[in-house]
Amino acid sequence: MILFGNNKIYIIIILCLINLITTSVAVENRILVKINNQIITLLDTNNESNYLMALNPNIEKLNNKEILTIAKNSLIREKIKYEEILKYVDEVKIDKEYLDNFIRSTYSQLGIKSEDEFINYIKKYDIDIDIIKKKITIEAIWNQIIFSKFSNRVKLDKDELKKRILKIKNEKNKRYFLSEILFNVVVKSDFEKKYSEIKDSISKIGFENTAITFSVSDTSKIGGKIGWINESSLNNKIKKSLNNLKVGQLSEPITSPSGFIILKINDIEFYDKEIDIDSELKSLEKIEINKQLNQFSNIYFNKIKKDFTINEL
């Protein structure tokens, strides 16, 4: 009977310990956000933080609260897109070759040369390649939906594009390595306040981390980096804004259909190149189409976001 009694005590102790552990895990992995029927937990945001840091290690310079906010906003955006694409597809899946190209583009931006090297790299951040494939798939399907919805509304003035090319044909070729912060405001009177916050953030934590924090463009995940852009690819408004700037300097906010863009010149390069007008025109058309589709993407996202109930707990 004594043995049985001791066993009973042991069982009670074990059950209490299990209850404590379960409660502790539940508290640690608490729900942070509810988006319609979806949830975002603390564990989700920690995983997202690791993913974002893998894409842009500069995020590690921010404090934990700032990183948590960025990760949370990134997940909110992804979950809204995910729920939207389920209205159009039966399965969240894309062609393997198409997916491989996206993955290659992702790790190339990090200076990584192979997928095996990329897999080893993300392991340091405790990320599995399947997670990244899922994220890329969501983004790819979203882009396909945007294309099908808005491609017929893209406007190209081929004569104007050709004039840009002919204008620089006999000049020294110039290109910029650019980064961006795209932001918008609900009412016009909020512009100065928002712009002031962004400038203050840039002075404190730098352009890249400010882009991660404030920019609503998809480039925010990689610190706003756009990459190398030929001067001939820029419209007159942007070209004029950049014309007198030096490396490291920022443009004033430039108005666009999807908000306001602040551009940073990371580098400038002059080069000699014989311009093939037809080839350059095709390249310029592609850039212009992508730019307009990105604008439609941001406008459409902001529109559907209003239909979602987002509760931060």
Side-chain angles (χ1 to χ4, degrees):
M1 291 296 293
I2 295 174
L3 184 62
F4 178 78
N6 285 342
N7 282 344
K8 193 172 182 181
I9 292 170
Y10 293 151
I11 291 168
I12 292 169
I13 291 171
I14 289 169
L15 288 174
C16 288
L17 286 171
I18 290 172
N19 185 57
L20 280 171
I21 292 168
T22 304
T23 304
S24 175
V25 169
V27 170
E28 185 180 342
N29 191 30
R30 67 186 186 278
I31 296 172
L32 300 181
V33 185
K34 286 185 178 179
I35 310 166
N36 288 0
N37 297 322
Q38 300 186 79
I39 62 169
I40 295 172
T41 67
L42 184 58
L43 182 60
D44 292 331
T45 57
N46 288 338
N47 291 336
E48 185 72 4
S49 297
N50 289 342
Y51 165 69
L52 294 173
M53 283 188 281
L55 292 185
N56 188 357
N58 275 317
I59 295 178
E60 296 181 48
K61 296 177 184 177
L62 300 175
N63 63 48
N64 290 336
K65 186 178 179 181
E66 289 169 329
I67 294 173
L68 179 67
T69 300
I70 292 166
K72 186 169 60 178
N73 290 337
S74 176
L75 284 170
I76 289 171
R77 191 173 181 85
E78 182 181 272
K79 287 185 179 294
I80 289 173
K81 286 183 177 182
Y82 182 79
E83 195 156 319
E84 182 67 13
I85 67 176
L86 287 178
K87 297 176 184 177
Y88 297 89
V89 298
D90 296 323
E91 187 178 8
V92 182
K93 186 178 180 181
I94 58 174
D95 179 75
K96 184 180 183 302
E97 185 178 349
Y98 192 40
L99 178 59
D100 289 343
N101 285 335
F102 268 95
I103 292 171
R104 193 176 301 112
S105 174
T106 300
Y107 64 67
S108 294
Q109 290 176 335
L110 295 166
I112 295 173
K113 296 179 181 178
S114 70
E115 186 170 331
D116 287 340
E117 186 182 341
F118 182 52
I119 290 170
N120 288 330
Y121 169 76
I122 61 176
K123 278 180 181 176
K124 299 174 187 175
Y125 294 89
D126 197 25
I127 304 169
D128 187 86
I129 189 66
D130 289 336
I131 298 296
I132 291 182
K133 286 181 178 180
K134 181 181 177 183
K135 289 179 175 294
I136 289 173
T137 299
I138 292 170
E139 201 60 36
I141 298 174
W142 169 266
N143 289 339
Q144 289 170 353
I145 293 168
I146 296 299
F147 182 83
S148 65
K149 278 182 171 292
F150 299 106
S151 59
N152 62 340
R153 291 170 60 180
V154 170
K155 295 179 181 179
L156 283 180
D157 186 340
K158 293 188 178 183
D159 290 335
E160 195 276 328
L161 295 179
K162 196 167 184 178
K163 282 179 185 176
R164 283 194 222 168
I165 297 167
L166 292 173
K167 190 175 180 182
I168 66 161
K169 188 175 187 299
N170 299 316
E171 298 176 0
K172 193 80 171 174
N173 293 304
K174 183 180 183 181
R175 63 179 186 164
Y176 299 96
F177 190 101
L178 298 174
S179 293
E180 68 175 351
I181 293 173
L182 174 65
F183 69 97
N184 44 48
V185 291
V186 178
V187 291
K188 203 171 182 179
S189 57
D190 290 338
F191 170 80
E192 287 299 335
K193 181 183 177 183
K194 187 81 168 182
Y195 183 38
S196 179
E197 285 178 4
I198 291 172
K199 287 193 293 184
D200 186 52
S201 176
I202 291 171
S203 68
K204 289 179 179 176
I205 62 175
F207 190 92
E208 285 192 6
N209 284 329
T210 301
I212 296 163
T213 306
F214 285 94
S215 181
V216 296
S217 170
D218 289 332
T219 60
S220 64
K221 290 180 180 179
I222 52 173
K225 288 189 182 72
I226 299 173
W228 285 103
I229 302 289
N230 290 337
E231 187 179 42
S232 60
S233 302
L234 304 172
N235 63 39
N236 290 330
K237 186 191 291 187
I238 292 177
K239 197 185 297 184
K240 186 177 179 181
S241 296
L242 299 179
N243 195 38
N244 295 317
L245 297 180
K246 298 176 182 177
V247 172
Q249 292 185 318
L250 314 180
S251 72
E252 295 293 317
I254 303 163
T255 55
S256 76
S258 52
F260 300 91
I261 303 171
I262 301 170
L263 292 172
K264 178 186 177 184
I265 300 179
N266 300 304
D267 202 357
I268 299 174
E269 186 175 270
F270 294 91
Y271 62 100
D272 293 313
K273 179 186 175 185
E274 187 68 31
I275 292 180
D276 182 325
I277 293 176
D278 290 335
S279 175
E280 194 71 19
L281 184 60
K282 285 179 182 178
S283 175
L284 200 52
E285 286 174 3
K286 186 177 179 181
I287 290 170
E288 186 63 26
I289 289 168
N290 286 336
K291 185 183 80 174
Q292 290 187 40
L293 288 174
N294 284 335
Q295 290 171 345
F296 282 123
S297 175
N298 282 311
I299 292 167
Y300 186 65
F301 178 83
N302 289 331
K303 179 185 175 182
I304 65 169
K305 185 180 178 182
K306 294 175 184 177
D307 297 328
F308 285 79
T309 302
I310 302 171
N311 293 317
E312 298 198 28
L313 306 177

